[in-house]
Amino acid sequence: MDSQTIITQADTGLSRFFAKIYGLVGFGIGLSAIVAALMLYVFPENMAAILYNAPYVYWGALIVELLLVVFASGAARRNSPLALPLFLIYSALNGFTMSFLVAMYTQSTVLAAFVSSALVFFVMALIGATTKKDLSGMAKALIAGLIGIIIASVVNIFIGSGPFSFLISLVSVVVFSGLIAYDNQLIKRVYGQTRGQVTDGWAVSMALSLYLDFINLFINILRIFGSRN
């Protein structure tokens, strides 16, 4: 077998790995969108009842979401068969909680934010998958920025500053855009380090990371666009 054939097989295997991951990402986003649409257009009375009479249901769902992310990530690292079901359950639950956020904005604003998020995601994914520059150093700075965003968001819960919230959203867009590029480069690195012997757990783990990148990018772009309403 000549070197050209080996390279071609490696490229084909990597493409299949990317396709598997992005198939999961697309399925997760689609599942979230379906659940959110059902809440908004089929069960609006239930949403209102939760908001006014049982807000603990919403906050409880957020807590369960955080736990699901932890459990799904751990299961993926162990290559457990539970990883995929946990990822799908999380995606569905995230659609439920996001419906309350989306309900605050007009349909045109939500559509504009989604299209913009998809375009940014595509561009940054392409950069991450094709660049020859090692993005590991940038990733460390992005993680530090993400920690800063979390702290600032908690502080702003008590301050309630609109301009500060707008600034947090702007920084968040930059951070998650960078993470999208890094995660796509990481897919190539993992595939290369394992010599193509990647497990399904890795695919779920990377899909979960990219799903979270996209959702957080969408939420912050939505807040930026919505601030003009």
Side-chain angles (χ1 to χ4, degrees):
M1 186 179 296
D2 57 39
S3 59
Q4 185 62 42
T5 302
I6 295 174
I7 293 174
T8 301
Q9 289 180 345
D11 289 343
T12 301
L14 179 59
S15 297
R16 289 176 179 171
F17 187 45
F18 265 103
K20 179 185 292 187
I21 292 171
Y22 272 92
L24 292 173
V25 174
F27 194 86
I29 293 173
L31 185 57
S32 298
I34 290 172
V35 173
L38 287 173
M39 291 300 299
L40 289 166
Y41 300 110
V42 180
F43 303 109
E45 295 86 0
N46 300 83
M47 287 184 64
I50 291 173
L51 280 174
Y52 294 109
N53 302 319
Y56 57 84
V57 173
Y58 172 77
W59 293 108
L62 288 179
I63 294 173
V64 173
E65 274 190 14
L66 294 175
L67 294 175
L68 281 172
V69 169
V70 174
F71 291 149
S73 298
R77 287 194 297 270
R78 298 190 304 271
N79 195 31
S80 168
L82 289 174
L84 181 55
L86 287 173
F87 169 66
L88 296 179
I89 293 171
Y90 169 74
S91 299
L93 185 59
N94 195 43
F96 168 78
T97 55
M98 281 191 61
S99 64
F100 293 88
L101 173 65
V102 172
M104 297 169 60
Y105 302 94
T106 63
Q107 290 184 351
S108 60
T109 299
V110 173
L111 179 60
F114 184 84
V115 172
S116 299
S117 301
L119 290 174
V120 172
F121 187 93
F122 174 78
V123 171
M124 299 309 297
L126 186 62
I127 291 174
T130 57
T131 185
K132 301 298 182 182
K133 183 179 180 180
D134 186 0
L135 301 179
S136 299
M138 180 187 75
K140 294 179 180 178
L142 292 173
I143 295 299
L146 181 57
I147 294 173
I149 289 170
I150 294 173
I151 295 173
S153 298
V154 172
V155 171
N156 200 43
I157 291 175
F158 301 98
I159 298 176
S161 171
F164 191 36
S165 178
F166 184 80
L167 178 61
I168 291 173
S169 294
L170 287 176
V171 175
S172 296
V173 168
V174 174
V175 168
F176 286 106
S177 296
L179 287 174
I180 290 167
Y182 170 73
D183 284 339
N184 276 273
Q185 186 177 79
L186 183 59
I187 293 173
K188 293 178 61 179
R189 183 177 299 127
V190 167
Y191 186 86
Q193 290 175 347
T194 59
R195 297 184 179 182
Q197 303 302 310
V198 284
T199 63
D200 290 338
W202 265 115
V204 175
S205 177
M206 296 309 304
L208 178 59
S209 294
L210 288 170
Y211 172 90
L212 290 170
D213 291 341
F214 178 83
I215 292 299
N216 282 284
L217 179 67
F218 167 70
I219 288 173
N220 286 285
I221 289 179
L222 178 62
R223 287 172 175 164
I224 291 171
F225 286 4
S227 65
R228 298 175 301 181
N229 293 342

